[in-house]
Amino acid sequence: MSPALIRLLHLVSPTLPVGAYTYSQGLEWAVETGTIKNEAGALNWISDCLQFGLARFEAVYLAHMLAAWEHKDMKRLAELDAEFVASRESAELRAETLQMGYSLARLLTDLGCFTAPTQAGFSQPSFPLAWSCAAAAWSVPAHDAIGGYLWAWAENQVMAAVKAVPLGQTAGQRMLMALGERIPQFATAAACCPLDATANFLPAFSIASSRHETQYTRLFRS
């Protein structure tokens, strides 16, 4: 087992203290309104968000950030980061990526393994920027890093569905098995996708995130 794989497992671990478990990205509102009622509905929602949002947009930006870190292109990183933050469709999604980016950057600073994003001049890095910084510094291959990033997102969404629907643990594992089968192809496509070919048109996802901001009772921050 390579050191890079160990570091990737570290980055995708649910124990990474960045607060990912506190976010549902609108999934909780979809449950509240009855859009998601069971395992099949949860899998369809998460799968669509993975394919048409994360894989076609966020993962592509992550790939370009990884390349920019490798070339130490700070100007390009600043452009990518600003574009990604501007793409967040709701106040909750924007707050989420900035909070998680800050938490990860602070963790990397405290660990002292390398120059963290905040030490490189990024005072409010997005989560993909901070995450790609660590992956690049630890020499995680781009394809593996992108796949790991997608897996971590999918796992968090499944955990949110298990709590919110609610579902049993076995149902959660079935969903992860189904989602995991699709991630390698998504990672391969994202790794070579130009930025001008990205797309994240997910109206229901955007509406769910926006409506969640005023949901009366909720378990998650977004």
Side-chain angles (χ1 to χ4, degrees):
M1 183 178 289
S2 67
L5 177 56
I6 294 294
R7 294 306 182 192
L8 177 59
L9 293 175
H10 189 170
L11 277 175
V12 303
S13 171
T15 65
L16 194 70
V18 296
Y21 70 93
T22 64
Y23 297 103
S24 78
Q25 297 198 341
L27 184 146
E28 186 177 22
W29 185 83
V31 173
E32 178 72 14
T33 58
T35 301
I36 298 175
K37 301 177 181 178
N38 50 34
E39 178 184 341
L43 179 58
N44 286 339
W45 178 276
I46 298 170
S47 182
D48 282 352
C49 290
L50 175 65
Q51 178 177 355
F52 299 110
L54 266 288
R56 292 188 180 181
F57 190 85
E58 193 162 336
V60 177
Y61 268 82
L62 181 74
H64 285 264
M65 288 175 179
L66 288 166
W69 280 116
E70 184 178 354
H71 293 94
K72 297 180 173 57
D73 190 342
M74 297 298 137
K75 180 180 179 181
R76 184 58 177 150
L77 283 165
E79 293 172 348
L80 292 168
D81 190 51
E83 289 175 8
F84 178 77
V85 173
S87 77
R88 301 301 80 195
E89 298 97 325
S90 69
E92 281 193 347
L93 290 173
R94 178 186 173 89
E96 175 185 344
T97 196
L98 293 178
Q99 179 272 304
M100 290 176 61
Y102 171 81
S103 296
L104 181 54
R106 181 174 179 178
L107 173 64
L108 298 175
T109 300
D110 291 344
L111 291 175
C113 300
F114 50 82
T115 301
T118 47
Q119 296 170 308
F122 298 99
S123 59
Q124 283 192 305
S126 66
F127 185 59
L129 184 78
W131 202 94
S132 63
C133 175
W138 285 331
S139 301
V140 179
H143 182 271
D144 293 342
I146 297 166
Y149 188 90
L150 293 174
W151 170 262
W153 178 89
E155 185 175 30
N156 189 66
Q157 286 288 286
V158 168
M159 290 170 61
V162 167
K163 294 175 185 175
V165 175
L167 301 171
Q169 295 296 328
T170 302
Q173 293 303 308
R174 279 195 296 264
M175 288 194 289
L176 285 173
M177 288 288 291
L179 294 165
E181 290 177 355
R182 308 186 70 190
I183 286 176
Q185 68 187 61
F186 292 155
T188 298
C192 59
C193 181
L195 282 181
D196 58 9
T198 58
N200 65 338
F201 184 62
L202 286 170
F205 171 83
S206 301
I207 293 170
S209 178
S210 297
R211 295 298 296 271
H212 186 263
E213 294 174 3
T214 56
Q215 187 171 322
Y216 180 66
T217 58
R218 58 186 189 177
L219 297 172
F220 299 93
R221 297 171 66 180
S222 78

